[in-house]
Amino acid sequence: MRIRITFRMTVTALLPLLFLPIMCFHYVPKELHEVLGILWLILVLTHIGQNRQWFAALRRGRWPLLRIIGTVIDLSLLILVIVIVGAGSGISNHLFKDIMPMDIQRSIMIHQLHVSLPYALLILMGLHWGLHFRGWREKWHLPWPASRAVKVLLALAVTAGGIYGSFLDRVGDRLLMKHIFATSATGEPVEIYVGLLCAILGMYTLAGILLGKILYFRLDKL
């Protein structure tokens, strides 16, 4: 049982950790980017398999607002993964180049989907983590020894970094599917760019945690 829990925790932790270097496609060889994408997809499928009972439970129980929002986010994540991986395979320059039709490889729309949607995935991934944070802490007995003041300061720092990173990397324009290849953020060294991505992910994780607390509070009052 302990090995199973450890493996589940490892897969859950590796999902965002591997996704970050995939987002750094400006800095890594394109072939490595595609290989990392396939490895990440394997992790996603493993994560889905570990939580397959979630699909069976959709028809059971009550549907408070917290469950509705969480389900919408989870299903949106699944759809985005399918679209992003499918689009990436379509415009592959290495692994699938010889089997993809030329019309798909040259499609501007497919290319735009693969470039823009990962930022939506990053946001939803953060919200997903935040909404499940309380459950993971209780289930896995994760320590959080920092004082309240340190937590507040850390949250403010992460939020400030997330906002700054969002503007620097033009996340809003990317979500609007504007054709953007390089930004001020991608012109920075890779360490800074990864830090900005972590801040954005952290900001939305905090938003998910806050949303979860608000909705849990509402459930307690019902």
Side-chain angles (χ1 to χ4, degrees):
M1 178 63 70
R2 193 174 189 85
I3 295 177
R4 183 181 300 177
I5 293 176
T6 302
F7 180 64
R8 181 186 290 265
M9 292 175 63
T10 301
V11 171
T12 301
L14 284 176
L15 280 169
L17 291 177
L18 185 58
F19 187 66
L20 290 174
I22 293 174
M23 292 282 289
C24 297
F25 57 89
H26 292 278
Y27 302 91
V28 300
K30 298 301 181 285
E31 189 169 6
L32 177 60
H33 172 76
E34 294 183 18
V35 171
L36 291 177
I38 296 300
L39 293 176
W40 186 76
L41 177 61
I42 293 173
L43 280 177
V44 170
L45 295 176
T46 302
H47 182 69
I48 292 174
Q50 291 173 335
N51 297 276
R52 57 189 178 277
Q53 69 276 5
W54 178 81
F55 294 95
L58 288 176
R59 295 185 179 184
R60 302 195 297 267
R62 297 170 57 242
W63 281 87
L65 185 57
L66 176 61
R67 186 181 183 188
I68 293 173
I69 293 176
T71 300
V72 170
I73 290 174
D74 292 349
L75 291 177
S76 298
L77 278 170
L78 182 59
I79 293 171
L80 281 177
V81 168
I82 294 172
V83 175
I84 292 169
V85 173
S89 300
I91 62 173
S92 169
N93 292 316
H94 299 281
L95 300 183
F96 306 108
K97 181 179 180 180
D98 295 332
I99 62 176
M100 289 295 171
M102 191 61 63
D103 291 343
I104 293 179
Q105 293 184 35
R106 294 179 177 177
S107 172
I108 299 298
M109 176 58 69
I110 294 177
H111 182 275
Q112 194 62 43
L113 288 172
H114 186 67
V115 171
S116 298
L117 291 185
Y119 290 88
L121 188 63
L122 187 71
I123 292 171
L124 291 178
M125 192 182 299
L127 293 173
H128 173 81
W129 263 60
L131 286 176
H132 288 275
F133 184 75
R134 178 175 176 175
W136 286 337
R137 280 195 63 194
E138 294 175 353
K139 184 176 180 180
W140 296 342
H141 307 291
L142 298 175
W144 188 236
S147 66
R148 184 178 184 86
V150 172
K151 293 177 184 178
V152 171
L153 289 175
L154 181 60
L156 291 175
V158 170
T159 301
I163 294 173
Y164 178 70
S166 297
F167 279 105
L168 205 63
D169 208 19
R170 299 177 61 183
V171 173
D173 288 337
R174 292 182 185 278
L175 296 178
L176 292 174
M177 298 289 290
K178 293 185 179 181
H179 186 68
I180 301 169
F181 185 72
T183 64
S184 299
T186 57
E188 298 290 343
V190 62
E191 296 85 359
I192 294 179
Y193 184 69
V194 171
L196 293 173
L197 290 178
C198 288
I200 295 172
L201 178 62
M203 179 176 67
Y204 284 100
T205 300
L206 290 172
I209 292 173
L210 180 60
L211 179 61
K213 287 184 176 181
I214 293 172
L215 295 177
Y216 271 121
F217 179 78
R218 284 191 54 183
L219 284 175
D220 291 339
K221 293 299 182 180
L222 293 178

